[in-house]
Amino acid sequence: MTDAVKNVAILGSTGSIGRNALEVIAAASGKYRVLALSAHRNTTLAIEQACRFRPRWLVATDSEAVASTDWSQLPPETQLLSDADSAAQVAAHADVDVVVAAIVGSAGLRSTWAAVAAGKTVALANKETLVVAGPLVMELARTSGATILPVDSEHSAVLQVLQAGRRDEVRRIVLTASGGPFRDHPPEALADVTVEEALAHPTWQMGAKITIDSATMMNKALEIVEARWLFDLTADQIDVVVHPQSIVHSMVEFVDGSVVAQLGSPDMRLPIQYALSYPRRSAGVADRVDWRRRMSLEFAPPDLKRFPALDLGWEVARTGGTTGAVLSAANEAAVAAFLDRNIGFCDIVPLVRQALDRHDFDPHPELEQLVELDRWARLEVSRCTAC
Ligand SMILES: NC(=O)c1ccc[n+]([C@@H]2O[C@H](COP(=O)([O-])OP(=O)(O)OC[C@H]3O[C@@H](n4cnc5c(N)ncnc54)[C@H](OP(=O)(O)O)[C@@H]3O)[C@@H](O)[C@H]2O)c1
């Protein structure tokens, strides 16, 4: 018996995860059909991707980029969609089986929500969706029958390792963190780091926002919150350990003291492929660990003084409610201000802290309230950076 071809929509196809997802699909000998692609500004790459993968739809969301692009090279079978809700419509379309949610930041919330509401299998790279609205998204998945499969390598590792025991046998999970480019930087020198230094990640090739999040370790804070909702854990059941080699992608400690880990090369094509082929595995393009090479795997506790973002992750995972939306949006705005060279590296986390402290906390917000808070937190950060 042969498996049916899966129809895949890749939202954020021009980004780092989107491009890796297309490599996985190209190497999968016809197991997947690309039904939809989506881009924001990079319409040149989007057209190249459309010419190669011949999707039914290409979504382009940046109106200036749409207006200034020559679309004559788009294949005749590909329809260009550029309405604000096109990505959400495509994500919910009856012909789509799997949605790769790889738009960066809270811009990915609506389309991911639409995919979950429509009961799709969602390969979730856009961790911000769970940070902003974790309880609502997980409840929506329960009622719609959607399957949310993490693309984050750490959460993919946890998903794989959880299969070694029963759910009530889990004591805690341990998320590994590379520690980013400033793991061993003298703390007093952090204030002077440049955008270029912060963008030079030692082990992972990623988009700009998540690379800065890795440098501040806010990425790990977001992952703590993501894990809290995705795996229904308490904040106290989620630990973080620094592991510079990025070979052990995360671990689960069971009640008997056994620790089970998932290992692999630092190559995002592996967790992407696992999410696409779940629950099966297949040969793929991801790099393999070379066990003939002598290597050391190191583990160290994170330095919470040098990386104060981490504590925000546990705080938000513990408090829930509106805090995730404020954490995510304030961080996005602060990272954008750093990339625009309007603030220093060490200003990012205090700006997020300030937004969390100033917002009107609600323990049980609705989605629209979270969307509104997202706007508020961005304004709050830009107001403070203008001071
Ligand atoms: N990269 C990784 O290794 C990695 C690992 C784990 C998790 N993730 C998560 O995966 C997501 C994507 O990360 P990435 O590194 O792939 O980011 P990226 O390289 O910056 O790509 C982001 C994608 O989102 C699109 N986009 C940006 N702003 C948009 C908007 N306002 N509306 C619609 N689309 C928009 C971009 O389009 P254009 O390029 O056409 O403008 C691009 O396709 C993030 O949530 C990140 O945390 C990434």
Side-chain angles (χ1 to χ4, degrees), residues 11-20 38-43 61 101-105 107-108 124-128 151-154 204-210 213 219 223 268:
L11 305 182
S13 63
T14 45
S16 164
I17 291 290
R19 283 180 271 123
N20 276 308
S38 97
H40 190 52
R41 292 206 181 106
N42 196 348
T43 50
T61 40
I103 291 174
V104 63
L124 184 71
N126 179 263
K127 66 189 89 186
E128 293 90 347
V151 162
D152 244 328
S153 57
E154 295 80 358
W204 294 100
Q205 296 294 319
M206 308 180 287
K209 190 251 177 190
I210 185 175
D213 286 349
N219 184 47
E223 288 178 10
M268 284 309 294

Side-chain angles (χ1 to χ4, degrees), residues 308-326:
L310 268 176
D311 271 333
L312 297 184
W314 280 298
E315 177 184 321
V316 168
R318 205 166 278 124
T319 318
T322 42
T323 57
V326 175

